[in-house]
Amino acid sequence: MNKIIKNFSGVQVLKQVDLTLVGGEIHALLGANGAGKSTLIKILSGAYSLDDGEIILDGHEVSISSPQEAKELGIHTVYQEVDTALIPTLSVAENIFIDDYANLKSSFFVAWKDLYSRAEELLNRVGASISVKANISELSLSDKQLVLVARALAQEAKFVILDEPTAPLSVTESENLYRIMRQLKDSGVGVVFISHRLAEVFELSDRITVLRDGQNVSSESKSETSMNHVIEAMLGQALVEEFP
Ligand code: ADP
Ligand code: MG
Ligand code: MG
């Protein structure tokens, strides 16, 4: 993403932000509340339009004007508000294959057994021990997230974007998600995650981008940066030096 500009009622909330995502990398997006992180990924996910700038995918400029279009390009996003992406009256398996669901339902013969076993396989991969026939409303927040990651896998996502995924999770649930993020990376998927937890950011990511006040103030590979540098970029000021 190059020089992305986004205004909300006359206020520029993204001021020429750059973000470069690479398959097989875990990329952390940091910044204080209101810095513009969610807005940036919503543009990438087709939820918001951009006012200026360009999105380049595999060397070509693309326009992403709807969530559907983003998904067709292989960009899948798991928002903090997981419920908005799930249909509570459908089962877990149906939710996983929701993007094909209309086609499936209108086709004369649906091989449900086949679908269930594919869903089971995906749930295993994401470490969710839930029934494919379970109701969405019975699931924990963590399991709902995992259903959405399974959906991204079902669609052979090229990029998976997670907005503060571990904020509501327990330690065990977070560790399961870290494992899946690494697994996605190892399979060549580009993973983007927003987080306020510096420990997990430094544990997981290959690249760290910091936004401050709608601007991209730092983007470095983890090996070339430090926690102090990242904190200073977020704050916009030097940390007080330690006494000798
Ligand atoms: P972050 O995710 O880094 O906390 P956001 O991207 O949510 O920040 O918000 C960046 C700025 O844009 C904030 O000032 C926020 O109030 C504003 N903003 C975000 N979404 C909207 C919207 N739909 N309408 C108006 N203002 C918005
Ligand atoms: Mg916020
Ligand atoms: Mg946000």
Side-chain angles (χ1 to χ4, degrees):
M1 303 176 84
N2 293 327
K3 301 190 170 168
I4 302 295
I5 291 181
K6 177 68 183 172
N7 305 300
F8 285 116
S9 37
V11 180
Q12 202 165 77
V13 299
L14 294 180
K15 307 163 183 170
Q16 297 209 328
V17 173
D18 298 325
L19 182 71
T20 302
L21 307 176
V22 179
E25 255 189 28
I26 299 181
H27 195 133
L29 192 54
L30 272 77
N33 247 330
K37 307 178 297 294
S38 294
T39 302
L40 186 63
I41 65 166
K42 281 178 181 168
I43 288 172
L44 188 57
S45 316
Y48 288 165
S49 60
L50 49 77
D51 291 316
D52 202 7
E54 52 179 18
I55 303 175
I56 313 280
L57 190 69
D58 298 330
H60 300 280
E61 184 168 1
V62 292
S63 91
I64 305 176
S65 47
S66 70
Q68 193 50 41
E69 229 172 316
K71 286 184 204 165
E72 281 162 16
L73 292 169
I75 301 165
H76 289 255
T77 307
V78 180
Y79 292 109
Q80 288 168 283
E81 310 82 13
V82 284
D83 285 314
T84 59
L86 293 164
I87 299 185
T89 52
L90 298 181
S91 69
V92 165
E94 288 160 338
N95 266 281
I96 290 176
F97 296 109
I98 196 76
D99 292 308
D100 304 314
Y101 191 66
N103 294 338
L104 287 174
K105 254 182 42 174
S106 61
S107 68
F108 177 67
F109 175 72
V110 179
W112 287 109
K113 268 202 173 133
D114 231 43
L115 210 66
Y116 283 144
S117 67
R118 271 170 62 207
E120 240 156 48
E121 202 180 297
L122 289 166
L123 289 172
N124 276 336
R125 273 175 69 189
V126 299
S129 32
I130 51 176
S131 160
V132 291
K133 295 181 187 174
N135 286 323
I136 290 296
S137 55
E138 296 162 7
L139 304 184
S140 68
L141 212 150
S142 163
D143 285 333
K144 287 177 182 174
Q145 276 185 349
L146 296 176
V147 168
L148 293 176
V149 176
R151 180 192 290 172
L153 288 172
Q155 298 283 306
E156 293 176 0
K158 287 186 193 156
F159 293 98
V160 174
I161 304 172
L162 305 151
D163 192 352
E164 292 194 54
T166 58
L169 301 186
S170 71
V171 174
T172 316
E173 290 168 339
S174 298
E175 269 157 14
N176 182 54
L177 193 64
Y178 300 155
R179 183 183 61 78
I180 296 148
M181 288 164 74
R182 291 200 178 96
Q183 188 184 303
L184 284 166
K185 166 192 156 134
D186 291 341
S187 67
V189 173
V191 179
V192 186
F193 76 114
I194 294 176
S195 173
H196 292 287
R197 297 184 181 173
L198 285 179
E200 74 180 20
V201 164
F202 274 82
E203 171 76 26
L204 278 173
S205 44
D206 301 297
R207 182 163 284 277
I208 300 172
T209 290
V210 180
L211 293 188
R212 187 176 73 244
D213 190 24
Q215 279 172 305
N216 174 342
V217 288
S218 167
S219 187
E220 280 160 300
S221 74
K222 183 178 66 184
S223 54
E224 287 162 2
T225 190
S226 68
M227 218 177 267
N228 274 11
H229 176 80
V230 165
I231 295 169
E232 288 178 347
M234 284 173 67
L235 295 174
Q237 62 186 57
L239 289 169
V240 178
E241 277 191 31
E242 264 177 64
F243 265 76

